[in-house]
Amino acid sequence: MTQITPEIVAEHGLSPEEYERVLKALGREPNLTELGIFSVMWSEHCSYKSSRIHLKKLPTTGPQVICGPGENAGVVDIGDGQAAIFKMESHNHPSYIEPYQGAATGVGGILRDVFTMGARPIANMNALRFGRPDHPKMKHLIAGVVHGIGGYGNCVGVPTVGGEVNFHKAYDGNILVNAMTVGIADTDKIFYSAASGVGNPIVYVGSKTGRDGIHGATMASADFGEDSEEKRPTVQVGDPFTEKLLIEACLELMASDAIVAIQDMGAAGLTSSSVEMASKGGVGIELIMDDVPQRETGMTPYEMMLSESQERMLMVLKPGREAFAEAIFRKWELDFAVIGHVTDTGRMVLKWKGDVVCDIPLAPLADEAPLYDRPHVPTPAPAPLADVPETSDPAADLLKLMGSPDIASRRWIWEQYDHMVGADTVQRPGGDAAVVRVHGTRKGIAITTDCTPRYCFADPVEGGKQAVAEAWRNLTSVGANPLAVTNCLNFANPQRPEIMGQIVGCLEGMSDACRALDFPIVSGNVSLYNESKATGGGSAILPTPAIGAIGLLQDWSKSCTIAFKGTGDTVIAVGERAGELGQSIWLREIHGREEGPPPAVDLAAERRTGDFIRQQIQAGAITACHDVSDGGLAVALAEMALASGIGVLVNEPQPFGVAGSLFGEDQGLYVVTVCDTCLADFMAAAHKADVPADPLGRTIKDRVIFELDEGDWTVSLADLRAAHEGFFPQLMGEDAALA
């Protein structure tokens, strides 16, 4: 029997104070299996011990919300007896260590979170953050992550319909891989995880348990040291073909009345799934470890409980339904085993070879896990932008921006994803939001992922607001009514007061925006300790509260796209303008400066403008729509031109100077084209709604022309396209041929 030493306690990520709490909870010293279970359940990844106190401030309810945070995924009503079920989750540390399997199993895990609740997955999204493109490890990481996402999603038969990618040196030693899945279920066939019914059988289904992923949750709750390569055994290995079988088998069983509760085995595997099911149901649980399907010989209870082998589920069945359920899983060539039963003890008891090898009260593992109000200091307000530069050639600046890492086309990435499988994808990657048809109906689900980490770093409160507002804006741009939010809160070490200040500030801004926009948060994930000593000096990532969001279109055929529809159309900027250049891509890429406050988010104006835009799209007045974000108006116009092959002439006065007017990243701002017969009515409606609408110019043949008081500048669409499409193929070189 292993002697529990202070060194072993530290290796399990528990502080001396936390270990004292373990001793108090048990009334004795734990054995190694019990210590391992406390370790993973009290890890940051599973317990949210540094963030729970602040997450409670987020708005999580609304008339559309069926189930908010606390379950496997969030659930919102989409009418006609149907619900959308969705969640976003991180797989950051594994993807840095082993990018293909880290990203692939991230996709597999989020798929399970959604179909566990009874939904058939209809779409995947992702949000990726990489370091400097010229970093020696980055090409390998990009290729592995993209191929892992595509390899898993394509094989399992769920379309990957969009996402976002940023580059910044802060991610050199700790990339971010956030995955999102959306599914559809009937509102009367939603499944939850709370176990009940003393004596009811506990059933294990899916793949066998191996030694892969042991300590995965603990690793995800620590920063990287110099030994990150040695952590490779803690990365799980995925099998998308087994996942596809598991989806079909679970959905077939869910069509019956056999299931009492169901939970996927994600982080911390059999430990977290069994503890969460029992604690949510207020019951106890007894497991016979000898009966757990194992693919390796000589596995110990410690290894079985902490393994994060993929494609596994845990269920509580109604008594007498075991044979019925087993027949379904055997038909789909999956393992099925009754491994225990529900008890009334409020304890987790594990038996192995006839002996009790674990006996833990459940309350301390879950509801009474450590909760910290960590010291935090607010991020100092950034100094106003001094010596604001002007542009001498906006066309040349635009050309450079269109080929820059954060704005260049992501075609090389998304062409490796099957975004059309299932034949319900209405808007493909490349627009403001993807749109996927609800099969057999006229309804469409719009999906987006958004965050601007450089804003969050400069001003966490304003950056948190902006992340939510941009997601709301992207859904609005396709004509969808925004429904709800999921999130992935990626931050560095919360034990550093300045990092904790970023967390608190971003959550404050997110909360303000969600309330102002009636946009509740129904699910999410927290990923902390995203920093690395391996890059020298302990580099922390930028605060990255990634937002995933969905909206509803009653008629998917009325969705709007970013592409111009013809020449001679009037191009209009709709929304408040201020010409703000602080923290802009233009300032960084053209002048090498990351300075100033981020653009302000006026939530009242955001709501007013967005509601007006959706109304006009549904009325058929707006023929193309794109929100202004990175790169400002000029980049938005260029993206609309490239999406259509139709150019644009900009000849309006520049109220904030040429640079501020064209490259300022003003928030709550949209670019639209309006049909000629609707123009007068559109302008009148904007005035009535108290929404600014400024004509910028008109669409023309095949170039972007700035015909301004300060001078005339022109760039061809061919040159813009070459710059825009060239970045990733040039960066990836021979890997581009894999696309």
Side-chain angles (χ1 to χ4, degrees), residues 134-172:
D134 59 356
H135 186 280
K137 194 169 182 175
M138 215 47 59
K139 181 177 168 182
H140 161 71
L141 291 170
I142 295 167
V145 166
V146 171
H147 297 154
I149 291 169
Y152 205 101
N154 296 355
C155 292
V156 86
V158 177
T160 301
V161 295
E164 59 167 349
V165 184
N166 289 154
F167 293 86
H168 194 278
K169 63 184 178 183
Y171 304 105
D172 280 354

mmCIF file of all heavy atoms in Angstrom, residues 134-172:
data_model
loop_
_atom_site.group_PDB
_atom_site.id
_atom_site.type_symbol
_atom_site.label_atom_id
_atom_site.label_comp_id
_atom_site.label_asym_id
_atom_site.label_seq_id
_atom_site.Cartn_x
_atom_site.Cartn_y
_atom_site.Cartn_z
ATOM 1 N N ASP A 134 5.747 32.834 -36.908
ATOM 2 C CA ASP A 134 7.123 32.413 -37.180
ATOM 3 C C ASP A 134 7.774 31.705 -35.990
ATOM 4 O O ASP A 134 8.967 31.388 -36.023
ATOM 5 C CB ASP A 134 7.978 33.612 -37.613
ATOM 6 C CG ASP A 134 8.031 34.720 -36.546
ATOM 7 O OD1 ASP A 134 7.344 34.580 -35.510
ATOM 8 O OD2 ASP A 134 8.745 35.713 -36.771
ATOM 9 N N HIS A 135 7.006 31.430 -34.940
ATOM 10 C CA HIS A 135 7.539 30.667 -33.812
ATOM 11 C C HIS A 135 7.885 29.259 -34.305
ATOM 12 O O HIS A 135 7.122 28.646 -35.053
ATOM 13 C CB HIS A 135 6.495 30.598 -32.687
ATOM 14 C CG HIS A 135 6.996 29.957 -31.434
ATOM 15 N ND1 HIS A 135 7.079 28.588 -31.275
ATOM 16 C CD2 HIS A 135 7.452 30.487 -30.262
ATOM 17 C CE1 HIS A 135 7.546 28.305 -30.074
ATOM 18 N NE2 HIS A 135 7.784 29.439 -29.439
ATOM 19 N N PRO A 136 9.027 28.708 -33.898
ATOM 20 C CA PRO A 136 9.468 27.428 -34.473
ATOM 21 C C PRO A 136 8.509 26.263 -34.266
ATOM 22 O O PRO A 136 8.526 25.305 -35.046
ATOM 23 C CB PRO A 136 10.810 27.172 -33.770
ATOM 24 C CG PRO A 136 10.874 28.124 -32.617
ATOM 25 C CD PRO A 136 10.037 29.292 -32.992
ATOM 26 N N LYS A 137 7.663 26.333 -33.250
ATOM 27 C CA LYS A 137 6.744 25.218 -32.984
ATOM 28 C C LYS A 137 5.356 25.434 -33.594
ATOM 29 O O LYS A 137 4.542 24.510 -33.645
ATOM 30 C CB LYS A 137 6.617 25.020 -31.462
ATOM 31 C CG LYS A 137 5.971 23.710 -31.065
ATOM 32 C CD LYS A 137 6.104 23.439 -29.576
ATOM 33 C CE LYS A 137 5.479 22.083 -29.220
ATOM 34 N NZ LYS A 137 5.674 21.712 -27.814
ATOM 35 N N MET A 138 5.086 26.666 -34.073
ATOM 36 C CA MET A 138 3.696 27.006 -34.372
ATOM 37 C C MET A 138 3.151 26.280 -35.593
ATOM 38 O O MET A 138 1.990 25.869 -35.616
ATOM 39 C CB MET A 138 3.555 28.529 -34.532
ATOM 40 C CG MET A 138 2.234 29.074 -34.011
ATOM 41 S SD MET A 138 1.760 28.476 -32.358
ATOM 42 C CE MET A 138 3.128 29.014 -31.344
ATOM 43 N N LYS A 139 3.951 26.101 -36.631
ATOM 44 C CA LYS A 139 3.462 25.407 -37.819
ATOM 45 C C LYS A 139 3.010 23.987 -37.473
ATOM 46 O O LYS A 139 1.950 23.523 -37.919
ATOM 47 C CB LYS A 139 4.567 25.387 -38.877
ATOM 48 C CG LYS A 139 4.181 24.721 -40.181
ATOM 49 C CD LYS A 139 5.319 24.831 -41.183
ATOM 50 C CE LYS A 139 5.097 23.933 -42.374
ATOM 51 N NZ LYS A 139 6.215 23.984 -43.336
ATOM 52 N N HIS A 140 3.804 23.309 -36.649
ATOM 53 C CA HIS A 140 3.444 21.962 -36.195
ATOM 54 C C HIS A 140 2.136 21.981 -35.403
ATOM 55 O O HIS A 140 1.271 21.113 -35.589
ATOM 56 C CB HIS A 140 4.584 21.416 -35.330
ATOM 57 C CG HIS A 140 4.227 20.268 -34.442
ATOM 58 N ND1 HIS A 140 3.966 19.003 -34.929
ATOM 59 C CD2 HIS A 140 4.057 20.193 -33.086
ATOM 60 C CE1 HIS A 140 3.672 18.192 -33.914
ATOM 61 N NE2 HIS A 140 3.710 18.889 -32.787
ATOM 62 N N LEU A 141 1.979 22.976 -34.521
ATOM 63 C CA LEU A 141 0.765 23.056 -33.706
ATOM 64 C C LEU A 141 -0.467 23.356 -34.562
ATOM 65 O O LEU A 141 -1.527 22.745 -34.387
ATOM 66 C CB LEU A 141 0.931 24.123 -32.622
ATOM 67 C CG LEU A 141 1.940 23.798 -31.510
ATOM 68 C CD1 LEU A 141 2.186 25.022 -30.638
ATOM 69 C CD2 LEU A 141 1.463 22.629 -30.664
ATOM 70 N N ILE A 142 -0.337 24.306 -35.488
ATOM 71 C CA ILE A 142 -1.478 24.644 -36.360
ATOM 72 C C ILE A 142 -1.905 23.428 -37.169
ATOM 73 O O ILE A 142 -3.092 23.082 -37.233
ATOM 74 C CB ILE A 142 -1.113 25.818 -37.290
ATOM 75 C CG1 ILE A 142 -0.868 27.093 -36.490
ATOM 76 C CG2 ILE A 142 -2.220 26.056 -38.322
ATOM 77 C CD1 ILE A 142 -0.197 28.201 -37.293
ATOM 78 N N ALA A 143 -0.924 22.776 -37.810
ATOM 79 C CA ALA A 143 -1.252 21.616 -38.651
ATOM 80 C C ALA A 143 -1.918 20.522 -37.825
ATOM 81 O O ALA A 143 -2.937 19.945 -38.236
ATOM 82 C CB ALA A 143 0.014 21.089 -39.319
ATOM 83 N N GLY A 144 -1.368 20.238 -36.638
ATOM 84 C CA GLY A 144 -1.928 19.169 -35.817
ATOM 85 C C GLY A 144 -3.335 19.468 -35.341
ATOM 86 O O GLY A 144 -4.227 18.616 -35.404
ATOM 87 N N VAL A 145 -3.553 20.696 -34.855
ATOM 88 C CA VAL A 145 -4.876 21.072 -34.344
ATOM 89 C C VAL A 145 -5.924 21.038 -35.459
ATOM 90 O O VAL A 145 -7.012 20.471 -35.296
ATOM 91 C CB VAL A 145 -4.818 22.461 -33.680
ATOM 92 C CG1 VAL A 145 -6.220 23.023 -33.462
ATOM 93 C CG2 VAL A 145 -4.075 22.395 -32.359
ATOM 94 N N VAL A 146 -5.608 21.637 -36.600
ATOM 95 C CA VAL A 146 -6.575 21.688 -37.703
ATOM 96 C C VAL A 146 -6.889 20.283 -38.206
ATOM 97 O O VAL A 146 -8.056 19.930 -38.430
ATOM 98 C CB VAL A 146 -6.047 22.588 -38.840
ATOM 99 C CG1 VAL A 146 -6.930 22.465 -40.076
ATOM 100 C CG2 VAL A 146 -5.990 24.039 -38.376
ATOM 101 N N HIS A 147 -5.859 19.461 -38.353
ATOM 102 C CA HIS A 147 -6.106 18.096 -38.825
ATOM 103 C C HIS A 147 -6.851 17.273 -37.772
ATOM 104 O O HIS A 147 -7.657 16.396 -38.120
ATOM 105 C CB HIS A 147 -4.787 17.425 -39.193
ATOM 106 C CG HIS A 147 -4.074 18.097 -40.337
ATOM 107 N ND1 HIS A 147 -2.716 18.033 -40.513
ATOM 108 C CD2 HIS A 147 -4.541 18.863 -41.347
ATOM 109 C CE1 HIS A 147 -2.379 18.736 -41.587
ATOM 110 N NE2 HIS A 147 -3.475 19.248 -42.103
ATOM 111 N N GLY A 148 -6.597 17.542 -36.483
ATOM 112 C CA GLY A 148 -7.311 16.824 -35.434
ATOM 113 C C GLY A 148 -8.793 17.166 -35.411
ATOM 114 O O GLY A 148 -9.652 16.289 -35.302
ATOM 115 N N ILE A 149 -9.111 18.461 -35.532
ATOM 116 C CA ILE A 149 -10.513 18.880 -35.574
ATOM 117 C C ILE A 149 -11.211 18.287 -36.792
ATOM 118 O O ILE A 149 -12.303 17.720 -36.696
ATOM 119 C CB ILE A 149 -10.611 20.423 -35.598
ATOM 120 C CG1 ILE A 149 -10.169 21.012 -34.254
ATOM 121 C CG2 ILE A 149 -12.032 20.875 -35.921
ATOM 122 C CD1 ILE A 149 -9.987 22.521 -34.287
ATOM 123 N N GLY A 150 -10.555 18.408 -37.955
ATOM 124 C CA GLY A 150 -11.148 17.871 -39.178
ATOM 125 C C GLY A 150 -11.249 16.360 -39.149
ATOM 126 O O GLY A 150 -12.269 15.781 -39.524
ATOM 127 N N GLY A 151 -10.189 15.716 -38.670
ATOM 128 C CA GLY A 151 -10.188 14.252 -38.658
ATOM 129 C C GLY A 151 -11.307 13.677 -37.818
ATOM 130 O O GLY A 151 -11.954 12.704 -38.207
ATOM 131 N N TYR A 152 -11.556 14.277 -36.650
ATOM 132 C CA TYR A 152 -12.609 13.748 -35.771
ATOM 133 C C TYR A 152 -13.991 14.152 -36.274
ATOM 134 O O TYR A 152 -14.878 13.313 -36.451
ATOM 135 C CB TYR A 152 -12.408 14.238 -34.342
ATOM 136 C CG TYR A 152 -13.033 13.328 -33.309
ATOM 137 C CD1 TYR A 152 -12.254 12.424 -32.599
ATOM 138 C CD2 TYR A 152 -14.404 13.357 -33.049
ATOM 139 C CE1 TYR A 152 -12.813 11.571 -31.656
ATOM 140 C CE2 TYR A 152 -14.976 12.517 -32.110
ATOM 141 C CZ TYR A 152 -14.174 11.624 -31.418
ATOM 142 O OH TYR A 152 -14.739 10.782 -30.500
ATOM 143 N N GLY A 153 -14.175 15.443 -36.516
ATOM 144 C CA GLY A 153 -15.496 15.916 -36.942
ATOM 145 C C GLY A 153 -15.945 15.313 -38.253
ATOM 146 O O GLY A 153 -17.106 14.919 -38.421
ATOM 147 N N ASN A 154 -15.027 15.218 -39.223
ATOM 148 C CA ASN A 154 -15.396 14.667 -40.524
ATOM 149 C C ASN A 154 -15.810 13.207 -40.409
ATOM 150 O O ASN A 154 -16.774 12.765 -41.040
ATOM 151 C CB ASN A 154 -14.221 14.786 -41.509
ATOM 152 C CG ASN A 154 -13.847 16.226 -41.821
ATOM 153 O OD1 ASN A 154 -14.509 17.164 -41.378
ATOM 154 N ND2 ASN A 154 -12.775 16.405 -42.570
ATOM 155 N N CYS A 155 -15.060 12.447 -39.593
ATOM 156 C CA CYS A 155 -15.355 11.012 -39.477
ATOM 157 C C CYS A 155 -16.647 10.740 -38.723
ATOM 158 O O CYS A 155 -17.354 9.769 -39.020
ATOM 159 C CB CYS A 155 -14.198 10.301 -38.783
ATOM 160 S SG CYS A 155 -12.677 10.254 -39.755
ATOM 161 N N VAL A 156 -16.947 11.583 -37.745
ATOM 162 C CA VAL A 156 -18.148 11.337 -36.950
ATOM 163 C C VAL A 156 -19.407 11.815 -37.673
ATOM 164 O O VAL A 156 -20.535 11.487 -37.281
ATOM 165 C CB VAL A 156 -17.998 11.994 -35.554
ATOM 166 C CG1 VAL A 156 -18.410 13.447 -35.565
ATOM 167 C CG2 VAL A 156 -18.763 11.224 -34.488
ATOM 168 N N GLY A 157 -19.225 12.602 -38.741
ATOM 169 C CA GLY A 157 -20.373 12.980 -39.570
ATOM 170 C C GLY A 157 -21.147 14.184 -39.075
ATOM 171 O O GLY A 157 -22.341 14.303 -39.329
ATOM 172 N N VAL A 158 -20.470 15.092 -38.363
ATOM 173 C CA VAL A 158 -21.098 16.343 -37.919
ATOM 174 C C VAL A 158 -20.335 17.490 -38.578
ATOM 175 O O VAL A 158 -19.118 17.569 -38.446
ATOM 176 C CB VAL A 158 -21.060 16.481 -36.383
ATOM 177 C CG1 VAL A 158 -21.657 17.819 -35.940
ATOM 178 C CG2 VAL A 158 -21.815 15.325 -35.725
ATOM 179 N N PRO A 159 -21.013 18.389 -39.290
ATOM 180 C CA PRO A 159 -20.285 19.435 -40.020
ATOM 181 C C PRO A 159 -19.614 20.433 -39.084
ATOM 182 O O PRO A 159 -20.187 20.834 -38.077
ATOM 183 C CB PRO A 159 -21.380 20.115 -40.851
ATOM 184 C CG PRO A 159 -22.650 19.873 -40.086
ATOM 185 C CD PRO A 159 -22.483 18.512 -39.468
ATOM 186 N N THR A 160 -18.391 20.820 -39.416
ATOM 187 C CA THR A 160 -17.712 21.924 -38.740
ATOM 188 C C THR A 160 -17.961 23.157 -39.583
ATOM 189 O O THR A 160 -17.433 23.277 -40.685
ATOM 190 C CB THR A 160 -16.209 21.641 -38.586
ATOM 191 O OG1 THR A 160 -16.043 20.430 -37.832
ATOM 192 C CG2 THR A 160 -15.510 22.782 -37.866
ATOM 193 N N VAL A 161 -18.774 24.079 -39.084
ATOM 194 C CA VAL A 161 -19.349 25.128 -39.934
ATOM 195 C C VAL A 161 -18.702 26.500 -39.753
ATOM 196 O O VAL A 161 -19.097 27.455 -40.426
ATOM 197 C CB VAL A 161 -20.871 25.237 -39.709
ATOM 198 C CG1 VAL A 161 -21.565 23.957 -40.170
ATOM 199 C CG2 VAL A 161 -21.205 25.524 -38.240
ATOM 200 N N GLY A 162 -17.714 26.611 -38.864
ATOM 201 C CA GLY A 162 -17.078 27.913 -38.712
ATOM 202 C C GLY A 162 -16.236 27.974 -37.460
ATOM 203 O O GLY A 162 -16.056 26.986 -36.748
ATOM 204 N N GLY A 163 -15.714 29.169 -37.195
ATOM 205 C CA GLY A 163 -14.898 29.380 -36.016
ATOM 206 C C GLY A 163 -14.090 30.649 -36.144
ATOM 207 O O GLY A 163 -14.374 31.508 -36.980
ATOM 208 N N GLU A 164 -13.085 30.784 -35.306
ATOM 209 C CA GLU A 164 -12.225 31.954 -35.349
ATOM 210 C C GLU A 164 -10.804 31.552 -34.978
ATOM 211 O O GLU A 164 -10.584 30.549 -34.298
ATOM 212 C CB GLU A 164 -12.733 33.055 -34.414
ATOM 213 C CG GLU A 164 -12.835 32.619 -32.965
ATOM 214 C CD GLU A 164 -13.041 33.783 -32.016
ATOM 215 O OE1 GLU A 164 -12.899 34.941 -32.436
ATOM 216 O OE2 GLU A 164 -13.327 33.519 -30.844
ATOM 217 N N VAL A 165 -9.849 32.344 -35.459
ATOM 218 C CA VAL A 165 -8.431 32.100 -35.205
ATOM 219 C C VAL A 165 -7.752 33.438 -34.941
ATOM 220 O O VAL A 165 -7.933 34.384 -35.702
ATOM 221 C CB VAL A 165 -7.737 31.423 -36.405
ATOM 222 C CG1 VAL A 165 -6.290 31.089 -36.057
ATOM 223 C CG2 VAL A 165 -8.475 30.169 -36.843
ATOM 224 N N ASN A 166 -6.981 33.515 -33.851
ATOM 225 C CA ASN A 166 -6.133 34.676 -33.580
ATOM 226 C C ASN A 166 -4.690 34.221 -33.410
ATOM 227 O O ASN A 166 -4.433 33.061 -33.040
ATOM 228 C CB ASN A 166 -6.532 35.385 -32.285
ATOM 229 C CG ASN A 166 -7.846 36.125 -32.366
ATOM 230 O OD1 ASN A 166 -8.499 36.325 -31.358
ATOM 231 N ND2 ASN A 166 -8.260 36.530 -33.547
ATOM 232 N N PHE A 167 -3.775 35.143 -33.657
ATOM 233 C CA PHE A 167 -2.356 34.908 -33.404
ATOM 234 C C PHE A 167 -1.835 36.008 -32.484
ATOM 235 O O PHE A 167 -2.167 37.173 -32.652
ATOM 236 C CB PHE A 167 -1.557 34.958 -34.714
ATOM 237 C CG PHE A 167 -1.848 33.839 -35.672
ATOM 238 C CD1 PHE A 167 -2.902 33.927 -36.573
ATOM 239 C CD2 PHE A 167 -1.056 32.703 -35.683
ATOM 240 C CE1 PHE A 167 -3.164 32.901 -37.464
ATOM 241 C CE2 PHE A 167 -1.309 31.670 -36.573
ATOM 242 C CZ PHE A 167 -2.368 31.770 -37.461
ATOM 243 N N HIS A 168 -1.011 35.625 -31.520
ATOM 244 C CA HIS A 168 -0.355 36.618 -30.668
ATOM 245 C C HIS A 168 0.777 35.919 -29.926
ATOM 246 O O HIS A 168 0.648 34.747 -29.537
ATOM 247 C CB HIS A 168 -1.334 37.232 -29.668
ATOM 248 C CG HIS A 168 -0.828 38.465 -28.997
ATOM 249 N ND1 HIS A 168 0.017 38.429 -27.907
ATOM 250 C CD2 HIS A 168 -1.013 39.787 -29.269
ATOM 251 C CE1 HIS A 168 0.320 39.660 -27.529
ATOM 252 N NE2 HIS A 168 -0.284 40.501 -28.340
ATOM 253 N N LYS A 169 1.853 36.645 -29.685
ATOM 254 C CA LYS A 169 3.013 36.066 -29.013
ATOM 255 C C LYS A 169 2.675 35.527 -27.623
ATOM 256 O O LYS A 169 3.372 34.638 -27.113
ATOM 257 C CB LYS A 169 4.133 37.102 -28.921
ATOM 258 C CG LYS A 169 3.775 38.325 -28.094
ATOM 259 C CD LYS A 169 4.880 39.372 -28.124
ATOM 260 C CE LYS A 169 4.489 40.614 -27.328
ATOM 261 N NZ LYS A 169 5.533 41.670 -27.399
ATOM 262 N N ALA A 170 1.602 36.038 -27.005
ATOM 263 C CA ALA A 170 1.224 35.567 -25.670
ATOM 264 C C ALA A 170 0.809 34.098 -25.665
ATOM 265 O O ALA A 170 0.775 33.471 -24.607
ATOM 266 C CB ALA A 170 0.082 36.420 -25.111
ATOM 267 N N TYR A 171 0.492 33.536 -26.838
ATOM 268 C CA TYR A 171 0.095 32.123 -26.932
ATOM 269 C C TYR A 171 1.240 31.239 -27.403
ATOM 270 O O TYR A 171 1.027 30.067 -27.724
ATOM 271 C CB TYR A 171 -1.100 31.978 -27.875
ATOM 272 C CG TYR A 171 -2.298 32.828 -27.500
ATOM 273 C CD1 TYR A 171 -2.604 33.986 -28.218
ATOM 274 C CD2 TYR A 171 -3.117 32.486 -26.435
ATOM 275 C CE1 TYR A 171 -3.692 34.776 -27.882
ATOM 276 C CE2 TYR A 171 -4.208 33.268 -26.090
ATOM 277 C CZ TYR A 171 -4.491 34.413 -26.814
ATOM 278 O OH TYR A 171 -5.570 35.194 -26.480
ATOM 279 N N ASP A 172 2.469 31.779 -27.453
ATOM 280 C CA ASP A 172 3.605 30.980 -27.931
ATOM 281 C C ASP A 172 3.752 29.673 -27.161
ATOM 282 O O ASP A 172 4.043 28.627 -27.743
ATOM 283 C CB ASP A 172 4.912 31.778 -27.796
ATOM 284 C CG ASP A 172 5.119 32.788 -28.913
ATOM 285 O OD1 ASP A 172 4.311 32.809 -29.862
ATOM 286 O OD2 ASP A 172 6.096 33.562 -28.827
#
